[in-house]
Amino acid sequence: MNRTPLPPLSPHAAEAGLHAYAATGSPLRDSAALAALAGRSGWAVERTVALGWGTEATVLRRA
């Protein structure tokens, strides 16, 4: 599902993403990247739930 990105929740979202990258060595994942990782790990996306403000939860189930 392709959606137009919504504005970040905070004007500091880009900075928070940079901090996450610095701490983990990996950028934050979007829905497609999370679904691909789940698939490689034996999980499947059951559904995504919009939480508002451009944020969503991904519900996984064992494949």
Side-chain angles (χ1 to χ4, degrees):
M1 170 162 66
N2 292 329
R3 288 195 261 178
T4 303
L6 297 174
L9 178 61
S10 163
H12 306 289
E15 182 179 350
L18 181 60
H19 286 284
Y21 181 74
T24 64
S26 178
L28 298 175
R29 293 180 177 90
D30 63 10
S31 294
L34 184 58
L37 176 63
R40 290 191 306 270
S41 303
W43 292 83
V45 175
E46 185 172 302
R47 68 183 185 279
T48 57
V49 180
L51 302 175
W53 292 89
T55 304
E56 63 185 19
T58 302
V59 180
L60 303 174
R61 63 173 166 73
R62 209 53 158 136

